[in-house]
Amino acid sequence: MRRFLFVSCLTFFAVSPASADITHAIKSSISLTVDGAASQANRVGSSLSVSGSNVTLGTVPKFGSYSAGTALGYTPGEFTITTAGDSFSYSETFIGGDNTPTVLSTTVTGGVVPALPTFGSTVVTSGGVAGNLGGTIATDGAISIVAGSAGTTAIGQVIQELTIK
């Protein structure tokens, strides 16, 4: 019995104690976004093209005068057939570009762009309106998000990490 008690005591003290690293982390965040107003306007330019065969150009087609607030004008060409009875072709293409506006800037009022110059290519993005947009995260991790008006985004998250090594 003594031997058994002695051996069991040695075994008890020889076992190493348990060790573990425990890490606990709580990360929380709320992101509230209100879209900004934006506009992009690209003027379309004027172009003129002439081609033909068996024709003699009398009056050359040309652009008109250039002035602020107006588009570039155009005067068509005049032609005659060079050799009567032979086939001929004549093509004249004019694309009238955008007017040149006197003012090229816009104003954003309350998140909205009220007026833009009218160009051949115009893209407008209305601005968002915050309204009641808001959010909170309580100490227990409960998320409360209040929706805003148009053009808003609200994202809330709580991340809990438990690492045991």
Side-chain angles (χ1 to χ4, degrees):
M1 177 76 168
R2 277 185 167 189
R3 285 186 186 163
F4 175 73
L5 186 59
F6 179 72
V7 171
S8 63
C9 286
L10 284 176
T11 305
F12 178 75
F13 291 114
V15 175
S16 62
S19 63
D21 293 331
I22 298 175
T23 306
H24 182 242
I26 300 174
K27 301 171 187 171
S28 59
S29 67
I30 288 188
S31 172
L32 306 173
T33 306
V34 179
D35 294 340
S39 66
Q40 176 182 349
N42 297 313
R43 288 185 59 210
V44 172
S46 297
S47 67
L48 174 63
S49 133
V50 177
S51 67
S53 64
N54 193 28
V55 292
T56 303
L57 206 52
T59 304
V60 178
K62 62 182 178 176
F63 289 119
S65 62
Y66 175 79
S67 61
T70 62
L72 205 54
Y74 160 71
T75 303
E78 294 180 13
F79 69 95
T80 57
I81 297 173
T82 305
T83 307
D86 286 353
S87 64
F88 72 95
S89 68
Y90 181 78
S91 173
E92 185 172 310
T93 305
F94 171 73
I95 296 175
D98 292 325
N99 290 345
T100 307
T102 53
V103 177
L104 289 173
S105 63
T106 59
T107 303
V108 177
T109 306
V112 178
V113 180
L116 287 173
T118 306
F119 285 145
S121 174
T122 305
V123 177
V124 177
T125 303
S126 293
V129 179
N132 295 326
L133 180 65
T136 59
I137 298 178
T139 56
D140 64 353
I143 299 174
S144 172
I145 295 177
V146 179
S149 297
T152 62
T153 305
I155 300 171
Q157 70 177 6
V158 175
I159 299 171
Q160 294 193 24
E161 297 175 358
L162 180 62
T163 306
I164 302 173
K165 294 183 182 181

